[in-house]
Amino acid sequence: MSDTETATPVDTALHEDGSPERLAIDTIRTLSMDAVQKANSGHPGTPMALAPVGYTLWSKFLRYDPAHADWPNRDRFVLSVGHASMLLYSLIHLAGIEEIDADGNKTGQEALSLADLEQFRQLSSKTPGHPEYRHTTGVETTTGPLGAGCSNSVGMAIAERSLAARYNRDGFPVFDHDVYALCGDGDMMEGVASEAASIAGHLKLSNLCWIYDSNHISIEGGTDLAFDEDVGLRFKAYGWNVIHVDDANDTAAIAAAIETFRKTTDRPTFIVVHSVIGWGSPKAGSEKAHGEPLGEENVRLTKRAYGWPEDKSFYVPDGVAGAFRKAIGDRSKPLRDEWVAMVDRYRQANPELGAELDAMLKDELPAGWDADVPVFPADAKGLASRDSGGKVLNALAKRVPWLIGGSADLAPSTKTDIKDEASFEPNNYAGRNFHFGVREHGMGGVVNGMALSHLRAYGSTFLVFADYMRAPIRLSAIMEVGAIWVFTHDSIGVGEDGPTHQPIEHLASLRAIPGLDVIRPGDANEVAWAYRAVLEDASRPAALIFSRQALPTLDRDKYASAEGVRKGGYVLADCDGEPEVVLIATGSELSLVVDAYEKLTAAGTRARVVSLPSWYRFELQDKGYRDSVLPPAVKARLAVEMAGSMGWDRYVGSHGDTITMSTFGASAPLAKLQDKFGFTVDNIVDRARSLIAEAASTDKE
């Protein structure tokens, strides 16, 4: 098909009515077309098809005050079809949303001006190809990978139900907002959306509405190339209320469907909107309207079909923006003003809950939040860090009510259940223990959605299954939200389950994610300080890496305080004068290098032990501190970790060495595996001595 060949006939009188509604809808369409064409990159077809949906939802239903985009009780709008970002950007512009900076302050500027729309997909613009949370006011979550927004929306809906259960009182509906997600065929193909939809159906989240753009087009062609199931029937099986809208241009039918959603109280709603991609253009109904610009000639033809000025780009007719802003503002401003006044009364009637609510919404912690965190006495046998992690988590949960979460069907193993608290279920939204089922990817997306709603949410599973949820972990780092990922069974110490359950490359894989704080504590007291460090900062996610096997609890009267975890790495044990060798370890291997240190010290070797549980935090310290921990002059350095060696070269240098997993583990008792791969005190001592000798030889040369 040529660029200008008609896929479906163009109606040259598409918009004879010239109604204000149609004018606004076509403004959204043409802004999207023009932005994609100017960038010569993007996806014009979906915004063109869904402009009536976006217009109807925002102008008639969405409870969202453009002057206060951070209103806690606003409705959430999630564009899971992130490639259709120009739809959202056009809506943000027309709604007149006011910009909020990184510190939560108004800048006095529009979130998106027409000039910003003209910079679509340009470097450093506020209109990137896919919407980015924190980057553009009005974007509720970062939606790049398909299905991510769907799963985030489930987390947001869960958060509303959880917050309402805790804070709402008679006459004080502090939280009663809805969550809308706009999704497409690609979302429906991604497994994560299915996982999240199943969770939502089970939990009967009636505050959640997914609007599914069923246009039967993918980048490669028609969806019948790979996808021909009855999606609505699938969602009925999930327990959703399913509504069909036969024509995406039928705004009355769209409005009726949303009204039905708002009246539904026992299940989430799935609105199937049948649309024509690139509607009104010569490429309508074709994959060529999906992932590429229409072309200048086709843009002109489409504008002609709309009755639009063909020679004007980024044209907003007089009165369109004003009417759109009035429609949203007249409905939402009074709602927000009433809410603010109500919350003021709420604080007076419920001072303790009011103070708690204020702290949560500011991402702060209550006074004395860590007062119950245990200090673990020295113990040669010790505890598995998953066990000490469970104890610390419970101590914190008593004082931080918005610390909630669960596991992917592994709470008895990950030790992440909150004692004496109920499960979050359809009959009890006040529960704090979540059962995500065997849905690691879905769990990750849901936890991100909860974290985006000010909850300190966590999800847990075995470290080896981090592979199943890498996308939401990465997105939590990109968005800078305080999601907490708890991974246990962190090494060959997992036992006899064999290679499928023994993580090798996973630590390196997680450490490779920029902005993710990966912490692998070496004993129970490092676990306590790791949790403190994580809870203190809601602006970044963390992965806590815990063991299945017991780790000796070190004598902190003899060795340095575990508070050094806050800096990522610290000198745990030292010698007089400059060390001849530096032994570095994390997690379960820390006690091994401490034993090797003691043996070396007894033999007269000057050794230092560095605990390095968080590379991320260590790299945030200034060079002076890092050099004080790892002196550049000391070339003999040995790192010990039951994982792959990748990345350790930055700390051991070209003259150092590692004792790591050089090959995949095998099914065998732990003691035999430790011996096979050299994780013994004697081997560490021998390697240390060899490095000292090599360093001395190099110095002589």
Side-chain angles (χ1 to χ4, degrees):
M1 182 182 296
S2 68
D3 280 349
T4 58
E5 185 176 343
T6 303
T8 57
V10 176
D11 184 349
T12 57
L14 289 175
H15 301 285
E16 288 180 342
D17 58 13
S19 67
E21 177 180 276
R22 188 59 66 187
L23 203 60
I25 289 170
D26 286 348
T27 299
I28 296 168
R29 285 174 166 146
T30 55
L31 286 175
S32 301
M33 291 161 39
D34 287 340
V36 172
Q37 189 60 45
K38 184 173 187 294
N40 198 30
S41 175
H43 301 258
T46 299
M48 294 165 67
L50 294 184
V53 175
Y55 169 83
T56 303
L57 175 59
W58 280 54
S59 67
K60 298 180 180 179
F61 295 97
L62 200 70
R63 292 172 290 179
Y64 190 105
D65 184 356
H68 300 277
D70 56 353
W71 174 26
N73 199 39
R74 68 191 181 279
D75 286 346
R76 275 26 173 213
F77 175 77
V78 175
L79 186 76
S80 194
V81 279
H83 55 275
S85 55
M86 269 309 303
L87 172 64
L88 178 54
Y89 298 152
S90 298
L91 290 167
I92 290 172
H93 170 67
L94 293 179
I97 292 176
E98 295 181 28
E99 186 177 59
I100 296 174
D101 65 19
D103 297 320
N105 300 314
K106 288 188 179 184
T107 66
Q109 304 295 319
E110 290 182 276
L112 290 178
S113 65
L114 267 181
D116 291 321
L117 300 190
E118 293 187 38
Q119 291 302 305
F120 178 60
R121 285 188 165 233
Q122 304 308 298
L123 183 64
S124 302
S125 77
K126 291 193 285 185
T127 48
H130 293 77
E132 295 181 24
Y133 176 70
R134 292 189 190 275
H135 186 71
T136 309
T137 304
V139 172
E140 299 285 5
T141 181
T142 297
T143 51
L146 288 171
C150 290
S151 57
N152 293 166
S153 73
V154 174
M156 292 173 183
I158 286 172
E160 187 279 334
R161 287 294 187 248
S162 176
L163 293 170
R166 180 162 185 85
Y167 296 108
N168 288 7
R169 295 293 184 270
D170 288 343
F172 295 103
V174 180
F175 293 101
D176 64 353
H177 56 269
D178 294 322
V179 180
Y180 299 89
L182 202 54
C183 43
D185 289 308
D187 292 295
M188 295 302 104
M189 294 184 214
E190 288 285 1
V192 64
S194 299
E195 292 179 25
S198 181
I199 294 171
H202 167 73
L203 293 174
K204 302 185 185 303
L205 299 174
S206 60
N207 58 337
L208 178 65
C209 178
W210 286 7
I211 302 174
Y212 164 41
D213 173 33
S214 178
N215 61 33
H216 304 291
I217 292 295
S218 62
I219 288 177
E220 293 182 352
T223 53
D224 56 0
L225 290 170
F227 183 68
D228 52 14
E229 67 197 48
D230 187 328
V231 179
L233 194 60
R234 170 153 62 94
F235 273 72
K236 283 185 179 179
Y238 289 147
W240 290 55
N241 180 35
V242 179
I243 304 169
H244 285 267
V245 174
D246 292 334
D247 180 4
N249 290 303
D250 188 344
T251 55
I254 294 166
I258 297 173
E259 288 282 12
T260 300
F261 153 65
R262 296 184 67 179
K263 294 175 183 176
T264 301
T265 60
D266 62 345
R267 65 192 63 194
T269 294
F270 188 68
I271 301 174
V272 184
V273 177
H274 298 274
S275 74
V276 176
I277 195 168
W279 188 81
S281 78
K283 294 185 177 182
S286 164
E287 70 275 9
K288 290 185 178 295
H290 189 348
E292 61 186 51
L294 295 178
E296 291 183 3
E297 179 60 23
N298 284 324
V299 167
R300 281 193 291 272
L301 290 172
T302 306
K303 288 180 178 179
R304 183 184 304 167
Y306 291 169
W308 210 254
E310 297 177 33
D311 59 344
K312 290 186 178 181
S313 294
F314 298 96
Y315 172 57
V316 179
D318 290 343
V320 167
F324 196 64
R325 292 171 189 186
K326 187 176 188 302
I328 296 173
D330 284 357
R331 181 181 64 256
S332 299
K333 184 181 184 301
L335 292 174
R336 182 196 171 267
D337 290 345
E338 290 168 10
W339 184 87
V340 170
M342 177 192 65
V343 171
D344 284 341
R345 298 192 304 273
Y346 177 86
R347 292 188 186 99
Q348 296 174 12
N350 305 278
E352 290 186 8
L353 283 177
E356 185 182 296
L357 177 65
D358 289 340
M360 182 201 68
L361 293 176
K362 293 176 183 176
D363 293 324
E364 296 175 351
L365 294 167
W369 63 275
D370 63 345
D372 298 327
V373 173
V375 176
F376 297 90
D379 183 354
K381 181 180 179 182
L383 292 166
S385 49
R386 63 169 175 164
D387 288 321
S388 55
K391 294 178 185 296
V392 175
L393 173 65
N394 273 271
L396 292 166
K398 288 179 183 178
R399 291 180 175 262
V400 185
W402 52 94
L403 175 59
I404 62 177
S407 80
D409 195 44
L410 286 172
S413 292
T414 59
K415 311 296 183 182
T416 47
D417 55 320
I418 301 175
K419 308 300 182 187
D420 302 321
E421 291 282 354
S423 295
F424 185 95
E425 288 292 321
N427 61 350
N428 185 13
Y429 290 139
R432 296 174 66 188
N433 288 305
F434 287 77
H435 305 281
F436 295 108
V438 188
R439 305 181 182 101
E440 291 87 356
H441 197 172
M443 174 180 72
V446 168
V447 166
N448 279 344
M450 294 163 70
L452 285 161
S453 302
H454 296 286
L455 296 174
R456 295 311 307 272
Y458 63 86
S460 67
T461 185
F462 293 169
L463 176 57
V464 76
F465 300 137
D467 284 343
Y468 281 0
M469 52 189 294
R470 183 174 179 82
I473 296 170
R474 179 175 182 268
L475 286 170
S476 71
I478 290 174
M479 292 190 288
E480 299 177 346
V481 295
I484 302 169
W485 312 111
V486 180
F487 296 116
T488 68
H489 296 58
D490 68 345
S491 71
I492 57 173
V494 70
E496 295 78 15
D497 280 328
T500 62
H501 282 54
Q502 293 170 352
I504 304 300
E505 71 275 21
H506 298 74
L507 278 171
S509 175
L510 291 173
R511 286 168 177 157
I513 298 176
L516 177 67
D517 185 10
V518 182
I519 311 179
R520 188 175 185 239
D523 76 346
N525 287 305
E526 284 201 349
V527 169
W529 281 105
Y531 257 116
R532 281 189 177 97
V534 168
L535 262 292
E536 285 171 339
D537 188 353
S539 68
R540 62 181 154 199
L544 295 170
I545 314 297
F546 295 151
S547 72
R548 176 182 184 269
Q549 74 275 24
L551 310 181
T553 305
L554 300 174
D555 183 352
R556 295 293 170 165
D557 290 331
K558 182 178 181 181
Y559 302 112
S561 167
E563 187 174 358
V565 168
R566 277 179 161 161
K567 292 188 174 182
Y570 64 103
V571 178
L572 176 69
D574 212 357
C575 58
D576 292 330
E578 185 177 88
E580 297 174 81
V581 64
V582 176
L583 305 176
I584 315 169
T586 75
S588 52
E589 292 70 70
L590 186 60
S591 62
L592 284 175
V593 301
V594 167
D595 289 345
Y597 160 85
E598 294 292 355
K599 193 167 185 177
L600 287 164
T601 300
T605 300
R606 298 190 310 278
R608 169 181 288 186
V609 175
V610 170
S611 176
L612 198 63
S614 171
W615 295 10
Y616 176 83
R617 286 178 173 269
F618 189 64
E619 293 300 325
L620 291 178
Q621 309 309 311
D622 61 59
K623 187 175 186 298
Y625 177 79
R626 286 183 277 121
D627 286 350
S628 73
V629 175
L630 297 173
V634 181
K635 306 299 183 186
R637 302 182 187 182
L638 179 63
V640 184
E641 188 172 63
M642 284 189 190
S645 62
M646 183 178 293
W648 274 113
D649 55 312
R650 74 161 63 178
Y651 297 118
V652 301
S654 59
H655 297 286
D657 202 359
T658 66
I659 298 175
T660 50
M661 298 295 294
S662 57
T663 157
F664 290 104
S667 183
L670 175 59
K672 291 184 180 180
L673 286 172
Q674 285 178 310
D675 184 64
K676 175 179 179 180
F677 293 108
F679 294 105
T680 64
V681 173
D682 287 343
N683 186 52
I684 294 169
V685 168
D686 290 344
R687 297 280 283 278
R689 287 173 174 159
S690 295
L691 287 171
I692 292 170
E694 290 172 13
S697 175
T698 301
D699 289 343
K700 289 180 181 179
E701 292 176 0

